[in-house]
Amino acid sequence: MGKATVMLAGAHLRHYEVVGRATPTPANPAPKMFRHHCFAPNHVVAKTKFWKFMREYQRVKRANGEVFGVRELKEKRPGVIKNFAVQLRWYSRTGPVNTSKEIRDTHLARGVSRIFNGLAGQHRASFSNIQVIRTMTKAAKDCTRPYVTQFHDNTIRFPLIHRVRKPKKSKRAVLTAKAPQTF
């Protein structure tokens, strides 16, 4: 599948596009092709998610189909922070739940990974029970969640507090009787 790529820091999922279709038969010599976007840790799991989608929604099993390609989708502008909206469906203990989440990140894959981790922590939803329906980029004026809109301020500051100043090597003592002052 090509050379291995470096893992994105803080993300356990990658964004994949899988293209495939049902195998041509005499009854259907030119079957419809399908392109499926999914988030998976590697290309093998991405193909598995594609076949789950084909089985559930298109009635095509893996034995009766073929995959033409799997490719990892990269972020066009990885240095720019963006607001993402993710519509997803996950299965709780009581039944399916449709929900939408907003996340602020530089990479869509890392943002979706954070959502998956949040659902696992808050609702005990496992990876196989979460289905991403749609993702989109939102403008700042369209965001509604307070945990996203609180960062839409041009004068926001993140001060570095409680810093321990390290003295020069020549003036540093090996052992000291008091703790350093950090304020």
Side-chain angles (χ1 to χ4, degrees):
M1 278 275 123
K3 65 178 185 175
T5 56
V6 177
M7 193 66 181
L8 185 62
H12 68 283
L13 299 178
R14 296 178 180 184
H15 192 187
Y16 287 100
E17 177 191 70
V18 186
V19 179
R21 68 173 184 180
T23 306
T25 60
N28 187 6
K32 190 175 178 184
M33 301 222 358
F34 292 95
R35 181 176 62 185
H36 182 65
H37 286 244
C38 63
F39 295 89
N42 54 45
H43 68 277
V44 177
V45 179
K47 281 199 283 190
T48 304
K49 281 185 155 289
F50 170 76
W51 286 120
K52 183 179 180 184
F53 161 76
M54 291 292 280
R55 236 183 9 254
E56 290 181 0
Y57 298 106
Q58 306 301 327
R59 296 176 59 87
V60 176
K61 295 193 306 183
R62 184 178 177 183
N64 301 331
E66 53 193 2
V67 171
F68 289 116
V70 180
R71 71 182 178 117
E72 186 179 350
L73 300 176
K74 300 287 187 180
E75 200 67 40
K76 286 182 182 172
R77 296 181 300 156
V80 178
I81 193 156
K82 295 167 275 297
N83 305 307
F84 297 111
V86 180
Q87 291 181 349
L88 45 95
R89 174 186 177 94
W90 58 278
Y91 293 93
S92 68
R93 293 184 179 128
T94 57
V97 178
N98 292 314
T99 185
S100 63
K101 300 267 186 193
E102 286 180 2
I103 199 84
R104 191 168 159 82
D105 212 315
T106 55
H107 293 77
L108 179 60
R110 186 166 45 203
V112 171
S113 293
R114 286 171 52 200
I115 289 173
F116 271 58
N117 288 339
L119 285 172
Q122 292 172 347
H123 303 288
R124 302 292 185 261
S126 64
F127 171 74
S128 59
N129 289 339
I130 303 171
Q131 180 182 7
V132 176
I133 297 170
R134 182 172 29 173
T135 60
M136 62 191 91
T137 306
K138 277 185 143 181
K141 62 181 174 60
D142 298 330
C143 294
T144 56
R145 305 287 201 272
Y147 55 83
V148 173
T149 57
Q150 67 181 343
F151 295 108
H152 295 162
D153 183 9
N154 292 335
T155 60
I156 195 167
R157 296 280 184 260
F158 298 101
L160 300 172
I161 58 172
H162 199 73
R163 301 190 72 182
V164 178
R165 299 184 68 188
K166 201 170 183 181
K168 290 182 187 176
K169 186 103 174 167
S170 61
K171 301 194 183 216
R172 193 181 313 163
V174 178
L175 299 170
T176 57
K178 61 177 192 161
Q181 288 188 345
T182 60
F183 48 88

